[in-house]
Amino acid sequence: MNIRPSVCPLTLNIIKVRLPHWRMENHSLLYLIMALLGFLSPCLTRLIPRVSFPLGSPGRHLTHFSSHDVSNTTTLLLGKDGDMLYVGARDAVLELDVGHKDAIVLRNKLDWSPSEKDLEQCSMKGKKMADCPNFIRVLQFLNTTHIYACGTFAFSPRCTYINSETLLMSVKPEEGRGRCPYDPYQPSTAIIVDGELYTGTVADYRGNWPVISRHLSEGNRVDLKLDDTLGWLEDPTFISSSFIPHEEKIYFFFSEVGREYDFIDKFIVSRVSQVCMSDVGGQRTLQRRWTTFAKAQLLCQANNELPYNVIQDMDTLPPAEGASADETLFYGIFSSQWSVNSGRSAICSFRLTDIKSVFSGNYKFLNRDTLQWSTRVQEKIANPGKCGLHNASDNVLHFVKENFLADEIVRPVGRSLSMVSAEHSYSHLTVQRVQAASNRNYTVLFLLTESGYIHKAVLLQGGAHIIEEVQVFKQPQIIKSLKLSTSKGVIYVGTSEGVVRVPTANCSFYWTCPQCVLARDPFCGWDPASRACVKASDSQTSQDVDRGNVEEACNSVSLTKKARFAVICISGSCFAGELVSVSLNEVVRLQCPVVSRLSQQLWQRPNSRLSPDLYLHLEDGSLSFVATPTTLGHYLCVSTENDYQQTMAIYHVKQKSSPISETPTSYIPGTGLLQQTSVGIWGTQVTIRQLGRNLSLWTKESGEIKSGTQEGNPQVLARGPCYLTELMVVSVMLVLCLSLLTTILLYVIRQQCHRQTAPQLGTTTRNSNRSPLVEQEALRTDKCNIQALHSRQASGFVCNGVLIDSNGHLETHPYLK
């Protein structure tokens, strides 16, 4: 199982909430319980996809179609034989040839865009120009030769008939009000049955008039719709519609405001409603209105938490071959309107038998004066929702008009959730019943996440198991769609950027019997004859979807230590391990391939324990350590999944030896031996062979075989490593350092001696010696005075840098003022 329980000491059995049954008088109690459930919500288990394929991964082949002049390819219609895919895009209808294995080819294109005048009027109404083109929202087969298409057409819906062979319009487009929404992002649903169009959409420009209607009625039948004055719908969001042939009914799935609950805030509920194909409206009461309309609440809720009350998508799973039509199942994605459940999605399934039982039961009564709902206790005049009421009396039709909400609630199969995700928000789904090799049927869900991944999940008795996740787009997409082709075994994903084709099975990715069985994919089984994982078409293939027991399915036994050193084969190539040459004190990092996100990786050494003081286990499963004589040797990574162990990587960490030229380890097919050839120091060819944990060395010159068992390393026959070069380098460096230190010391001593022998100045008397500098200065002064006496007529001259005037006085300097 890929369910990993969260550590939570509390249990959800503390309180039991049955929210839809409450008549809330004290609203504070509701918020208190919601807050309490918010603390309990982390106790949910986690669902982890076993394998993840990012966009462009070689392990999952996808086929893309895109074109620079085509966008919003989100409305998909699959041809009857599955070789053609019709796509409603922006301003165009495409015909794609999907019959080729590795390509999707554009065969034809119908351009259908508004005129410049239409776009200008759309912009004048206050709409963005990006929303004014013609977005095709309805694309259905009308008959064997024509397709009926409707588009938003600049917020003025238009519909037309298109020849499916030539992709040309047969008639001029007509008004599409009530058949197609005005807004390209307004949710809606449409289905054509026997040439008549049944829709759930809005019929006005502002989106305030929701309708469930029938168009293109044939014969004496008239188009029908809901009476907008009766409040039959309360701000609905239409999700999908489904036709049940043996019932001759159309079922609509949507969410709306639940007026039957008296809450402060609007309480959103999910609904299923029905109309009969034979309905033609009443003769006086309910003229041109549905007489068979009825609706009921869908409850997707676990026993002890708030309900997942907002429906996101719904798909129909027909009954198994030979089963009753009442065993038809409806699988839906539900989310919660409360922040305590934000970011989570739940999957619930509903049985047609339970829906029919609720519609045949009691109905609530709406008091028009107080707008309060109550359960009718008086005699039941008629059964709302019953087909054939168009000829009933006015009294019966009046009763039906006032009683259209079923009193009981449609609960999921088993009164439990089929699947719940605490990490992913799902937006779309499609469901398929798959027959495994054991002839047992399994339900497989294909779920599209908001982040752009498709999750492939199988529903088991112990819970859901997500087999894989495949990324189909990266950029956020506003409108998306899924279309499953069971005959071709592919899923088509329509996004704003193009169409992606995803095969439902990916059996060839699993290269061994254990991997094929551990995938637990009902599509895949191990074929012993071809020794490959193939589509499980007969009972000869090995498979165990429920338990994933490798030992029984592959006839294997638990791996022993010796067997764990066997050769690893991946995608047809066999490896005996990798030789890693390192230097001492070098940081080594050994990688371990992770083939499953549900597995746990464990590193081992033969006859040795990995001490946490020496080894570091990293988050990606790799092992890091420092190369020392103790850490040299063999390492292997063992993966454990569902109690099955298998070796994923083998390494032989060896110290580098420069005189030896080493070659990678090779595998000898059919022998299970490892062989490594190298040239020794003296030119001797050395061959290392390994069988299990026994390592041997054989030398050509002597022909002698020697074995070593310590730490899985062979005894070295050649000379040990030589450190002469390293010793010489260290010695030279030591001599240079000593010489430098000696030089510096001698220089310091010489400087100190020189200072001690220098003469001492400044101790002579005043009368004996005047400094030579002082005497020279005095002579220069006397000379200047004599010159001044002989040059009195001069205006002034400079003596010793001082300006002297004609009188022999110093001239005042500006800075001396």
Side-chain angles (χ1 to χ4, degrees):
M1 293 298 295
N2 64 335
I3 298 180
R4 295 186 179 180
S6 301
V7 178
C8 182
L10 301 177
T11 63
L12 294 179
N13 293 324
I14 297 177
I15 57 174
K16 295 183 179 296
V17 178
R18 301 291 186 182
L19 184 61
H21 291 295
W22 290 2
R23 292 288 293 184
M24 292 300 297
E25 301 295 340
N26 186 0
H27 301 291
S28 61
L29 180 60
L30 171 65
Y31 295 106
L32 178 61
I33 294 179
M34 289 173 59
L36 178 59
L37 291 175
F39 288 106
L40 294 179
S41 59
C43 300
L44 290 176
T45 55
R46 299 178 58 202
L47 281 176
I48 301 176
R50 182 179 182 271
V51 183
S52 181
F53 296 98
L55 192 63
S57 174
R60 201 66 160 93
H61 178 68
L62 307 181
T63 308
H64 297 261
F65 168 80
S66 61
S67 179
H68 68 280
D69 59 344
V70 175
S71 62
N72 288 85
T73 52
T74 56
T75 304
L76 306 180
L77 176 64
L78 192 62
K80 302 300 181 182
D81 56 358
D83 289 334
M84 288 295 167
L85 181 68
Y86 299 92
V87 181
R90 187 182 71 174
D91 294 335
V93 177
L94 312 178
E95 182 184 17
L96 302 181
D97 186 355
V98 293
H100 303 280
K101 182 179 179 181
D102 298 325
I104 299 178
V105 181
L106 176 62
R107 172 175 288 189
N108 214 337
K109 178 183 178 183
L110 169 65
D111 293 317
W112 185 18
S113 59
S115 63
E116 293 294 335
K117 182 179 179 180
D118 295 327
L119 296 175
E120 183 179 354
Q121 291 179 352
C122 176
S123 179
M124 292 178 61
K125 294 177 182 178
K127 300 301 179 181
K128 299 179 180 179
M129 287 300 297
D131 298 336
C132 289
N134 185 25
F135 294 87
I136 310 302
R137 295 297 307 277
V138 176
L139 203 63
Q140 293 284 320
F141 280 111
L142 184 69
N143 48 42
T144 57
T145 60
H146 283 80
I147 296 174
Y148 191 73
C150 299
T152 58
F153 207 83
F155 279 79
S156 179
R158 296 286 187 273
C159 297
T160 188
Y161 299 87
I162 301 175
N163 189 300
S164 58
E165 292 293 333
T166 61
L167 213 66
L168 297 175
M169 292 186 185
S170 300
V171 296
K172 184 179 179 180
E174 58 185 3
E175 183 183 1
R177 181 181 181 182
R179 310 178 189 187
C180 175
Y182 288 72
D183 192 326
Y185 306 113
Q186 178 73 39
S188 64
T189 181
I191 185 174
I192 288 182
V193 181
D194 294 340
E196 296 178 329
L197 177 67
Y198 298 83
T199 63
T201 184
V202 291
D204 67 326
Y205 177 81
R206 297 183 180 275
N208 297 327
W209 181 12
V211 292
I212 292 178
S213 54
R214 183 178 67 197
H215 304 270
L216 311 178
S217 300
E218 297 181 346
N220 59 351
R221 297 152 61 86
V222 295
D223 291 348
L224 299 178
K225 63 179 181 179
L226 292 180
D227 193 330
D228 56 332
T229 63
L230 297 179
W232 284 357
L233 297 173
E234 298 286 350
D235 193 18
T237 299
F238 294 102
I239 299 300
S240 67
S241 52
S242 179
F243 168 58
I244 307 301
H246 81 285
E247 289 285 312
E248 292 191 349
K249 292 182 179 180
I250 309 295
Y251 288 95
F252 292 89
F253 299 93
F254 56 95
S255 61
E256 66 173 357
V257 178
R259 297 296 183 186
E260 65 269 30
Y261 300 107
D262 186 17
F263 291 167
I264 295 179
D265 296 332
K266 292 182 179 180
F267 178 43
I268 306 298
V269 296
S270 297
R271 303 285 197 197
V272 55
S273 68
Q274 64 156 41
V275 293
C276 294
M277 294 178 57
S278 59
D279 198 343
V280 294
Q283 296 179 357
R284 289 177 297 275
T285 303
L286 295 177
Q287 289 185 9
R288 294 184 177 272
R289 301 293 187 268
W290 294 106
T291 63
T292 57
F293 174 78
K295 67 180 181 180
Q297 180 181 348
L298 296 173
L299 181 60
C300 182
Q301 180 187 20
N303 289 331
N304 303 301
E305 63 176 14
L306 291 173
Y308 296 86
N309 57 321
V310 183
I311 185 173
Q312 301 293 332
D313 196 15
M314 183 70 72
D315 194 26
T316 304
L317 181 64
E321 185 177 356
S324 172
D326 288 344
E327 295 301 315
T328 301
L329 296 175
F330 302 96
Y331 281 86
I333 301 175
F334 296 83
S335 62
S336 176
Q337 75 178 95
W338 295 287
S339 58
V340 294
N341 283 336
S342 62
R344 294 203 302 261
S345 297
I347 311 298
C348 283
S349 62
F350 303 91
R351 188 176 284 109
L352 179 60
T353 302
D354 299 330
I355 296 177
K356 291 172 59 178
S357 176
V358 169
F359 279 136
S360 62
N362 294 326
Y363 281 75
K364 296 181 183 298
F365 171 74
L366 177 62
N367 189 323
R368 296 291 177 179
D369 297 330
T370 62
L371 297 179
Q372 295 292 325
W373 287 90
S374 62
T375 302
R376 177 169 289 280
V377 294
Q378 65 267 30
E379 181 182 356
K380 188 176 180 179
I381 300 177
N383 186 15
K386 182 179 179 181
C387 297
L389 294 178
H390 51 276
N391 292 324
S393 64
D394 291 344
N395 189 28
V396 171
L397 293 180
H398 182 76
F399 179 86
V400 171
K401 184 175 68 173
E402 298 292 337
N403 299 266
F404 53 85
L405 176 59
D407 184 48
E408 294 295 326
I409 296 175
V410 183
R411 299 187 180 276
V413 176
R415 300 295 182 96
S416 63
L417 309 180
S418 301
M419 174 179 168
V420 61
S421 175
E423 296 84 20
H424 304 282
S425 295
Y426 297 121
S427 61
H428 294 76
L429 90 161
T430 184
V431 58
Q432 181 178 0
R433 181 178 286 107
V434 181
Q435 189 177 54
S438 60
N439 294 326
R440 180 180 173 182
N441 291 325
Y442 292 89
T443 301
V444 178
L445 303 176
F446 298 93
L447 305 160
L448 183 61
T449 70
E450 292 290 351
S451 58
Y453 283 85
I454 285 184
H455 284 187
K456 177 182 175 181
V458 56
L459 301 181
L460 306 174
Q461 291 183 352
H465 168 70
I466 303 182
I467 301 170
E468 62 180 0
E469 66 174 5
V470 183
Q471 189 177 21
V472 292
F473 62 84
K474 287 186 177 180
Q475 299 300 325
Q477 308 289 314
I478 299 179
I479 297 179
K480 306 169 287 290
S481 60
L482 290 181
K483 183 66 66 174
L484 172 65
S485 174
T486 55
S487 61
K488 300 297 183 179
V490 295
I491 297 175
Y492 297 98
V493 185
T495 68
S496 299
E497 300 173 349
V499 179
V500 182
R501 180 173 61 191
V502 183
T504 56
N506 191 32
C507 303
S508 60
F509 173 76
Y510 309 108
W511 61 91
T512 63
C513 181
Q515 287 298 320
C516 187
V517 174
L518 288 173
R520 305 171 72 178
D521 190 340
F523 287 96
C524 303
W526 182 259
D527 183 13
S530 61
R531 299 188 60 82
C533 192
V534 298
K535 288 189 177 182
S537 57
D538 52 48
S539 58
Q540 299 299 323
T541 56
S542 300
Q543 193 183 56
D544 191 352
V545 179
D546 290 306
R547 297 179 302 163
N549 193 318
V550 175
E551 296 182 3
E552 293 184 3
C554 298
N555 295 324
S556 63
V557 296
S558 299
L559 292 178
T560 62
K561 278 191 173 181
K562 182 175 181 179
R564 290 175 189 168
F565 282 90
V567 176
I568 303 174
C569 294
I570 300 177
S571 302
S573 302
C574 294
F575 305 92
E578 180 180 350
L579 178 64
V580 181
S581 298
V582 298
S583 301
L584 292 179
N585 298 324
E586 177 183 347
V587 177
V588 183
R589 183 172 180 177
L590 304 180
Q591 298 289 341
C592 182
V594 180
V595 297
S596 172
R597 298 171 65 184
L598 304 181
S599 63
Q600 294 182 350
Q601 282 67 44
L602 176 65
W603 286 92
Q604 297 180 359
R605 294 191 65 186
N607 303 324
S608 180
R609 185 179 65 89
L610 300 182
S611 173
D613 298 334
L614 300 177
Y615 299 92
L616 179 61
H617 297 267
L618 303 180
E619 293 183 357
D620 61 353
S622 60
L623 181 69
S624 181
F625 57 91
V626 177
T628 63
T630 305
T631 59
L632 297 179
H634 275 84
Y635 293 83
L636 71 157
C637 180
V638 178
S639 174
T640 303
E641 181 181 0
N642 202 19
D643 296 330
Y644 177 77
Q645 291 186 341
Q646 55 184 334
T647 302
M648 303 308 302
I650 300 177
Y651 296 95
H652 181 199
V653 181
K654 184 179 180 181
Q655 181 182 352
K656 288 181 180 179
S657 182
S658 55
I660 300 180
S661 176
E662 298 175 349
T663 59
T665 305
S666 60
Y667 167 64
I668 306 177
T671 63
L673 299 178
L674 309 182
Q675 177 173 297
Q676 175 199 344
T677 304
S678 60
V679 179
I681 298 177
W682 309 108
T684 304
Q685 183 177 1
V686 180
T687 302
I688 303 176
R689 292 193 177 110
Q690 173 185 346
L691 178 59
R693 283 174 43 245
N694 299 323
L695 300 175
S696 302
L697 281 175
W698 174 77
T699 60
K700 262 191 175 182
E701 293 180 349
S702 62
E704 180 184 3
I705 298 178
K706 295 186 179 181
S707 300
T709 58
Q710 182 178 3
E711 297 295 338
N713 293 322
Q715 297 176 355
V716 181
L717 299 182
R719 292 183 179 180
C722 181
Y723 299 100
L724 179 59
T725 303
E726 290 81 354
L727 181 60
M728 292 178 62
V729 171
V730 172
S731 300
V732 171
M733 293 180 63
L734 181 60
V735 171
L736 291 177
C737 292
L738 292 176
S739 301
L740 181 61
L741 290 175
T742 304
T743 303
I744 294 174
L745 181 61
L746 292 176
Y747 177 79
V748 172
I749 296 173
R750 181 178 179 276
Q751 289 295 110
Q752 290 183 353
C753 293
H754 178 72
R755 289 189 186 127
Q756 292 177 357
T757 58
Q760 300 296 326
L761 298 178
T763 59
T764 58
T765 61
R766 181 187 303 235
N767 299 327
S768 64
N769 355 8
R770 296 169 62 183
S771 171
L773 295 177
V774 175
E775 294 177 355
Q776 292 178 10
E777 184 67 23
L779 291 175
R780 281 198 297 267
T781 304
D782 294 339
K783 185 177 180 179
C784 287
N785 294 333
I786 295 173
Q787 291 178 359
L789 292 176
H790 293 284
S791 306
R792 292 187 177 183
Q793 296 177 353
S795 58
F797 63 95
V798 177
C799 182
N800 297 332
V802 180
L803 182 63
I804 303 176
D805 59 10
S806 58
N807 296 325
H809 298 113
L810 294 174
E811 184 175 343
T812 305
H813 195 276
Y815 289 103
L816 300 177
K817 291 181 180 180

